[in-house]
Amino acid sequence: MNILLNFFPVSAGGGQQVASNFLKIITQNNYGHCWFVYVGKNSELHKQVEQLLPVKQILAIPYSYKARIFNRGLLKKYIAKNKIELIYNYAPIIPVKGIPQVVRSVYSNLYFPEINFWGTYPFRTRIKKKIIDYFRLRGTLKADGLIFENRSMQDRAESLFKYDRTKTLYVEPSITQFDESNNNENLDYLEEIEDFKILYLSSWHLNKNIHILPYVAKILSEKKIIVKFVLSLDRKNQQIKELLLNPIIENRVENYFELIGKVESGYVHQVVKSSDALILLSKLECFSSNIIEAYSFRKVLFIADEPWSRAVCEDAGIFVDRVSPMDIAEKIIQLVKDKALYDSFVDKAQLSLRYFNTPEEKVRKQVEFLEGIYNKYTT
């Protein structure tokens, strides 16, 4: 079967890591299929896939919403020319007829409409985001199959939208495999920072609640507890400047922060290994690679106390009230002062790792599901 992987929308975050792992494995074992990849031109995934597949099996277009619309004709010609028989999307479906399509569904807010996900954004931005969500949901539910890494999203696809559960798959997240010999010299200095380092490995999004950290740092400073928040953010972003950098200056906690910019997937292991803990304060997530990465590298994870995180982490994370700087600060202080507590959470995380897939298991389950959807569609 000729299968097209639609990785075009994947440009950052955990999705990039997941897509990267998928590419590595299907080029080691093609499972009897011929794989084609649609990616954003000059993206990290584009650079990776160029090393793994022949040029004729790659379609690269500059990434933007406009490019996605205006290059539909080129995409359809590519699909026809290469006789694509199934499309696996890391996004809503591509508007082509006569080909079964499966969506890896990761937009958790689509399945929890009761949560005001965009509520903190300006009015015009909220309207824009809601319009995008409308089309995302419509393009997702039109798929011939859906793959989830979150059981509650799978359940809600059925209960809220009457999606046929037999056309869905829940696949447990997998432990990420890194080439730990691959390091970025520009990040080596992180090892030399002696403060207790808490890594927030994420792109900027208000759902992530990164902008609460200056107020956490202020409390830590008042209590004479020194830590370093390592953030994978770019100082040039205007919203980051307004909501994060300015409060850092106003609260006089500049020495509590280190902004390292976007971290390419090949160097994730380096920044995780150089940290003492990870933090994740999202209101909603499908699943976060941060969880697996913390567990795999024996780091403690501070995580928002929400239903999605409780279901994933059980007792292996330190749960915090994501909107309370005091609660977050107190949990950090407790951990920094108590080595036995730190070790106990590391041990719990190691037990949790047993319930995750290996990368090969996760890909195999997805490929088998794609084959099943194709067989249903063609018989």
Side-chain angles (χ1 to χ4, degrees):
M1 182 166 42
N2 289 348
I3 301 175
L4 176 65
L5 297 173
N6 175 16
F7 290 162
F8 183 76
V10 182
S11 59
Q16 181 177 262
Q17 190 65 54
V18 173
S20 175
N21 289 337
F22 196 99
L23 281 172
K24 290 175 186 175
I25 291 166
I26 61 102
T27 52
Q28 294 166 2
N29 178 358
N30 63 23
Y31 299 91
H33 304 295
C34 186
W35 300 87
F36 297 79
V37 183
Y38 173 39
V39 290
K41 191 172 184 178
N42 297 325
S43 66
E44 184 180 341
L45 286 174
H46 182 205
K47 295 172 186 176
Q48 179 186 356
V49 76
E50 282 186 314
Q51 305 299 315
L52 298 173
L53 290 175
V55 173
K56 67 178 182 179
Q57 290 173 234
I58 305 168
L59 175 63
I61 295 172
Y63 178 79
S64 72
Y65 281 109
K66 288 182 180 178
R68 194 182 305 186
I69 296 170
F70 293 134
N71 287 289
R72 282 179 180 175
L74 177 63
L75 177 57
K76 289 178 180 179
K77 287 180 181 178
Y78 183 82
I79 289 170
K81 177 183 176 181
N82 292 287
K83 300 179 180 178
I84 299 299
E85 297 168 272
L86 181 139
I87 303 171
Y88 183 19
N89 301 280
Y90 275 42
I93 64 169
I94 295 171
V96 294
K97 296 180 179 179
I99 300 173
Q101 297 196 51
V102 173
V103 168
R104 174 180 176 263
S105 191
V106 298
Y107 296 111
S108 54
N109 62 300
L110 301 181
Y111 299 92
F112 294 87
E114 70 275 16
I115 293 175
N116 190 11
F117 191 73
W118 305 111
T120 55
Y121 282 75
F123 176 75
R124 288 186 179 180
T125 305
R126 289 203 308 271
I127 297 301
K128 180 182 176 181
K129 294 291 187 182
K130 288 181 179 180
I131 291 171
I132 292 172
D133 280 349
Y134 170 80
F135 287 104
R136 275 179 176 166
L137 180 60
R138 192 170 75 167
T140 297
L141 297 178
K142 285 183 177 179
D144 301 286
L146 297 177
I147 293 177
F148 297 97
E149 293 185 34
N150 181 304
R151 283 198 185 277
S152 61
M153 288 167 61
Q154 182 189 34
D155 293 339
R156 287 207 162 203
E158 179 183 24
S159 63
L160 283 181
F161 306 118
K162 311 304 177 187
Y163 196 89
D164 184 351
R165 194 178 186 90
T166 65
K167 298 196 299 182
T168 69
L169 171 71
Y170 166 71
V171 58
E172 297 84 355
S174 66
I175 301 167
T176 306
Q177 292 181 340
F178 293 99
D179 178 2
E180 296 188 35
S181 65
N182 183 28
N183 282 345
N184 182 341
E185 292 181 358
N186 294 327
L187 296 171
D188 284 345
Y189 77 97
L190 292 175
E191 287 283 358
E192 300 171 7
I193 298 175
E194 296 182 356
D195 299 332
F196 188 93
K197 297 186 287 291
I198 303 176
L199 173 67
Y200 205 139
L201 187 61
S202 171
S203 54
W204 178 261
H205 192 296
L206 293 183
N207 170 60
K208 303 288 186 177
N209 208 33
I210 302 171
H211 51 288
I212 200 173
L213 293 180
Y215 308 100
V216 176
K218 182 180 180 181
I219 295 170
L220 294 173
S221 176
E222 291 169 349
K223 295 181 179 292
K224 311 299 183 186
I225 300 295
I226 304 297
V227 306
K228 185 77 76 174
F229 291 106
V230 180
L231 311 179
S232 54
L233 299 175
D234 187 343
R235 293 178 178 272
K236 296 178 182 179
N237 181 297
Q238 185 60 32
Q239 195 175 64
I240 291 175
K241 182 178 179 181
E242 292 174 1
L243 297 181
L244 181 72
L245 299 182
N246 288 348
I248 287 173
I249 294 169
E250 290 164 6
N251 287 285
R252 300 181 181 179
V253 289
E254 294 94 329
N255 61 321
Y256 277 76
F257 290 88
E258 186 71 32
L259 271 66
I260 60 174
K262 179 182 175 182
V263 177
E264 293 185 3
S265 60
Y267 305 125
V268 165
H269 67 279
Q270 184 179 359
V271 294
V272 176
K273 285 171 66 178
S274 68
S275 302
D276 297 290
L278 276 72
I279 189 167
L280 181 61
L281 301 174
S282 306
K283 177 67 176 177
L284 274 177
E285 289 277 357
C286 162
F287 180 80
S288 173
S289 298
N290 292 171
I291 298 170
I292 289 276
E293 288 149 5
Y295 291 0
S296 297
F297 290 100
R298 301 182 65 83
K299 308 298 180 182
V300 170
L301 175 68
F302 296 100
I303 192 163
D305 192 352
E306 298 291 338
W308 74 266
S309 56
R310 287 278 181 181
V312 174
C313 297
E314 296 183 347
D315 63 347
I318 297 180
F319 295 99
V320 299
D321 181 345
R322 65 184 293 275
V323 296
S324 170
M326 181 60 72
D327 186 64
I328 297 169
E330 287 177 347
K331 298 287 176 57
I332 290 172
I333 293 169
Q334 187 179 14
L335 186 77
V336 170
K337 289 184 173 181
D338 192 338
K339 180 63 165 58
L341 179 66
Y342 186 102
D343 291 341
S344 71
F345 275 100
V346 168
D347 291 341
K348 290 174 183 177
Q350 297 309 294
L351 292 174
S352 294
L353 281 176
R354 298 178 301 173
Y355 301 106
F356 294 104
N357 284 310
T358 65
E360 292 78 13
E361 287 171 339
K362 183 180 177 183
V363 171
R364 176 182 54 77
K365 289 175 181 178
Q366 291 173 85
V367 172
E368 289 174 353
F369 181 73
L370 298 180
E371 292 168 343
I373 292 296
Y374 178 78
N375 291 333
K376 285 182 181 179
Y377 188 89
T378 55
T379 56

